[in-house]
Amino acid sequence: MGDLELLLPGEAEVLVRGLRSFPLREMGSEGWNQQHENLEKLNMQAILDATISQGEPIQELLVTHGKVPTLVEELIAVEMWKQKVFPVLCRVEDFKPQNTFPIYMVVHHEASIINLLETVFFHKEVCESAEDTVLDLVDYCHRKLTLLVARSGCGGPPEGEGSQDSNPMQELQKQAELMEFEIALKALSVLRYITDCVDSLSLSTLSRLLSTHNLPCLLVELLEHSPWNRREGGKLQQFEGSRWHTVAPSEQQKLSKLDGQVWIALYNLLLSPEAQARYCLTSFAKGQLLKLRAFLTDTLLDQLPNLAHLQSFLAHLALTETQPPKKDLVLEQIPEIWERLERENRGKWQAIAKYQLQHVFSPSEQDLQLQAQRWAETYRLDVLEAVAPERPRCAYCSADASKRCSRCQNEWYCCRECQVKHWEKHGKTCVLAAQGDRAK
């Protein structure tokens, strides 16, 4: 893998320097598509850099050229587009696009950016270079984690099965729902990396984390519901690497990556001196936090020994008097990207959707062919396989897989029998994914 390189250093710098924010109206346009492709290349290169541990130029370039705030703004802009414009497009009855991939690229854009941020935010200097936009990113992560908790109360993430009568736009809506779950899990990791910098965060950011959103209590709820775990047929399954995996009985006591992210974030927010000075331990907060004691087993402490300090903190908390809510007058910065974008586009959602229907999402056959060619160059299979977190798994039984669906090239199977059994679920998305190939 060390010889596999997607971008040369000079190319990466050109792509990073060219990053900019786009108005909601221009999402899906030719210039926006070019930036989306560039972001995907940077994303894959950043994962390759982290995997082979030979320096991480993408992270350094983003800091050097001050582009982390641009990524945060683009992330929130596409989130707003998905909430305000995408539903309008889906409600247009006579809109039956020949190919939904141009819209899918915009829907997928949020996942691309949050994945890149998850990769680079591991480094504290990236968090520091976000400057004031870290407030907006904290709010973004809070929105995603709140949805994750709410969804876990309704039975977990939606399944990817489609009905026989659904049209391409309805299938795209279902894919967007499934994508939201993965995006929320990435947001959890980004939030944990922000808490790693708790000693250098501004007072406004600390107040946002601890007072405005009370993230320690939200993280306790996440641990309680654990939406990345589920029971299917009496077997424990965990969501990892974009799919559900059955966990062997001998591995069920092993701490998952996502559980680990929650525990580390809680440790940072509750035990750092800076956070302790700002967090008001009300009776509600005390009741929520003391729920953690039931999870702090010897097996968990063996895997994360530092949590012994958290256990001691909770033992002391149980004997401590609670505090009334603080009413100090504090001048604070507030996040501004979401409110600014909403103010600039309020009352224009229908007009933006109409413009994009006519000029962006109804491309000619020739435009589709050019786009398909660019997508094929961007999503090289050798690179995608190199950045995969593990060996492919069968989409039906989760065993090691060596055979790929020849039509869409997305799903893997261990044998022909599993592919046939999975076709009822996979068929619709396979047809949708294959549309890009037919446009070549």
Side-chain angles (χ1 to χ4, degrees), residues 271-414:
L271 296 187
S272 72
E274 293 79 6
Q276 285 187 342
R278 300 285 297 174
Y279 191 41
C280 183
L281 286 165
T282 62
S283 57
F284 171 76
K286 177 179 177 179
Q288 287 293 102
L289 295 178
L290 288 180
K291 293 178 181 179
L292 294 173
R293 293 188 296 180
F295 296 96
L296 287 166
T297 62
D298 291 341
T299 303
L300 176 61
L301 293 174
D302 286 342
Q303 296 175 77
L304 276 179
N306 281 353
L307 292 184
H309 300 299
L310 180 58
Q311 192 176 45
S312 300
F313 167 82
L314 294 172
H316 181 264
L317 176 63
L319 305 174
T320 304
E321 292 293 326
T322 57
Q323 307 166 3
K326 295 180 181 178
K327 297 182 180 179
D328 299 338
L329 180 62
V330 181
L331 277 176
E332 294 180 356
Q333 289 177 287
I334 59 172
E336 62 88 28
I337 296 175
W338 179 278
E339 288 191 10
R340 172 171 53 79
L341 290 173
E342 195 167 39
R343 186 172 59 251
E344 291 171 355
N345 296 283
R346 187 174 292 123
K348 300 178 183 177
W349 313 118
Q350 298 276 352
I352 292 172
K354 183 178 179 181
Y355 172 83
Q356 292 183 326
L357 279 177
Q358 295 174 352
H359 302 285
V360 179
F361 298 135
S362 300
S364 66
E365 187 68 29
Q366 184 179 5
D367 289 337
L368 279 175
Q369 290 176 357
L370 291 173
Q371 281 187 347
Q373 185 176 353
R374 291 204 304 269
W375 292 331
E377 293 170 356
T378 300
Y379 300 110
R380 286 167 40 194
L381 288 180
D382 59 334
V383 176
L384 291 175
E385 290 173 6
V387 302
E390 57 181 16
R391 292 184 60 186
R393 297 275 185 171
C394 177
Y396 184 76
C397 71
S398 298
D400 287 347
S402 59
K403 305 178 188 300
R404 196 200 300 260
C405 174
S406 60
R407 186 174 191 179
C408 69
Q409 297 289 307
N410 288 336
E411 293 287 15
W412 289 81
Y413 298 97
C414 62

Side-chain angles (χ1 to χ4, degrees), residues 1 12 69 78 95 117 233 246 272 310 378 396 404 416 435:
M1 188 185 295
V78 75
F95 178 52
L117 290 177
T246 299
S272 72
L310 180 58
T378 300
Y396 184 76
R404 196 200 300 260
R416 174 68 179 166
Q435 287 178 350

Side-chain angles (χ1 to χ4, degrees), residues 13 188 195 379:
E13 182 168 12
L188 170 59
T195 67
Y379 300 110

Side-chain angles (χ1 to χ4, degrees), residues 43 82 107-116 179 183:
N43 199 354
K82 286 168 67 175
V107 173
H108 185 262
H109 193 59
E110 183 181 4
S112 300
I113 299 176
I114 194 66
N115 196 67
L116 177 57
M179 213 179 292
I183 288 170

Side-chain angles (χ1 to χ4, degrees), residues 26-30 32-33 36-37 78 81 86 89 95 97-109 168-169 172 175 356-357 359-365 367-372 374-375 379 432-433 435-436 439:
E26 292 185 27
M27 288 190 175
S29 64
E30 184 176 352
W32 183 94
N33 266 315
H36 175 76
E37 292 162 18
V78 75
W81 181 92
F86 182 51
L89 292 172
F95 178 52
Q98 167 189 357
N99 190 300
T100 56
F101 252 68
I103 308 175
Y104 176 83
M105 286 295 107
V106 184
V107 173
H108 185 262
H109 193 59
M169 288 301 292
L172 193 56
Q175 285 196 327
Q356 292 183 326
L357 279 177
H359 302 285
V360 179
F361 298 135
S362 300
S364 66
E365 187 68 29
D367 289 337
L368 279 175
Q369 290 176 357
L370 291 173
Q371 281 187 347
R374 291 204 304 269
W375 292 331
Y379 300 110
L432 183 65
Q435 287 178 350

